[in-house]
Amino acid sequence: QKEVEQDPGPLSVPEGAIVSLNCTYSNSAFQYFMWYRQYSRKGPELLMYTYSSGNKEDGRFTAQVDKSSKYISLFIRDSQPSDSATYLCAMSGTGFQKLVFGTGTRLLVSP
Amino acid sequence: SAVISQKPSRDICQRGTSLTIQCQVDSQVTMMFWYRQQPGQSLTLIATANQGSEATYESGFVIDKFPISRPNLTFSTLTVSNMSPEDSSIYLCSVDGQNSGNTIYFGEGSWLTVV
């Protein structure tokens, strides 16, 4: 079993839809949770960062962490074609520890 | 966040040759990392580049294949040695987010194709 599981997609939605992207993990020591967006032929860009459980909102993006279920989500409201990209979750424990990445979910938002 | 520049952005390399990728950051950073992203795969950490000391390699990666230099706090190089088609990948330089937990920021990547 991988430490971090992420559905590879692709996930296809129409413009304006609410998108839900998810990751599950097995390591209960993970405390830091991140979402990266990667456009084709570009490096990953940090979108959201949360510590421990709870929600964090930034514009159209909301990150949720449920440590009891070992489940994290990224919601995108009013999705736009420009949101079409691969979304990678990443997480780590406390102290300086390397990030463990999911395999990424490819999102396609059609006009 | 820091601005991270990588060179080359892409290259086509002959089997058996070596290529050095450069990573320049616009500010001093403590930690620099090199990742590999093979086609359709997620990111795999190759090594942590330490200023003034040997790089720390992850399991499955060795210094002879991926020598790394870190001469100062803004620059690092990764060499991919004796390349084979299996080394065709994106190589990404990244730096720690300083005050943002364990976040890291990535450069644009170097796309290598080995023929």
Side-chain angles (χ1 to χ4, degrees), chain B residues 9-99:
Chain B
S9 58
R10 64 184 61 230
D11 207 340
I12 298 173
C13 307
Q14 295 295 319
R15 185 192 302 249
T17 63
S18 299
L19 182 80
T20 296
I21 302 167
Q22 298 180 1
C23 178
Q24 179 74 54
V25 189
D26 69 343
S27 59
Q28 292 185 341
V29 292
T30 306
M31 312 287 284
M32 294 181 77
F33 311 94
W34 289 97
Y35 280 81
R36 181 174 73 181
Q37 187 177 29
Q38 293 178 303
Q41 304 295 315
S42 189
L43 288 83
T44 302
L45 179 64
I46 297 171
T48 302
N50 306 307
Q51 195 267 330
S53 65
E54 292 280 337
T56 304
Y57 289 84
E58 296 297 307
S59 175
F61 297 97
V62 295
I63 188 171
D64 289 347
K65 177 68 175 177
F66 298 102
I68 287 171
S69 78
R70 177 86 194 271
N72 56 51
L73 291 174
T74 63
F75 187 79
S76 179
T77 67
L78 169 76
T79 299
V80 186
S81 303
N82 187 25
M83 287 186 282
S84 66
E86 292 71 35
D87 295 318
S88 297
S89 188
I90 309 166
Y91 292 87
L92 292 152
C93 172
S94 66
V95 304
D96 71 276
Q98 304 287 327
N99 298 319

Side-chain angles (χ1 to χ4, degrees), chain A residues 32 34 36 38-46 49 88 92-99 101-104, chain B residues 10 31 33 35 37 40-43 45 48 58 90 92 96 99-109 111:
Chain A
Y32 295 102
M34 294 132 227
Y36 287 84
Q38 187 175 23
Y39 291 113
S40 180
R41 300 190 176 275
K42 296 286 187 181
E45 169 195 9
L46 180 65
Y49 152 72
L88 298 147
S92 74
T94 55
F96 178 72
Q97 296 188 20
K98 68 176 184 179
L99 293 182
F101 284 85
T103 51
Chain B
R10 64 184 61 230
M31 312 287 284
F33 311 94
Y35 280 81
Q37 187 177 29
Q41 304 295 315
S42 189
L43 288 83
L45 179 64
T48 302
E58 296 297 307
I90 309 166
L92 292 152
D96 71 276
N99 298 319
S100 301
N102 287 338
T103 55
I104 60 175
Y105 297 94
F106 289 91
E108 290 295 295
W111 295 67

Side-chain angles (χ1 to χ4, degrees), chain A residues 10-13 19 21 76 83-87 105-109:
Chain A
L11 175 63
S12 296
V13 301
V19 174
L21 303 165
I76 307 174
D83 295 327
S84 297
T86 296
Y87 290 80
T105 299
R106 188 176 168 215
L107 172 66
L108 302 171
V109 181

Side-chain angles (χ1 to χ4, degrees), chain A residues 71-100:
Chain A
Y71 188 87
I72 70 170
S73 300
L74 178 70
F75 297 97
I76 307 174
R77 292 184 299 280
D78 187 25
S79 57
Q80 302 295 310
S82 59
D83 295 327
S84 297
T86 296
Y87 290 80
L88 298 147
C89 64
M91 48 198 79
S92 74
T94 55
F96 178 72
Q97 296 188 20
K98 68 176 184 179
L99 293 182
V100 180

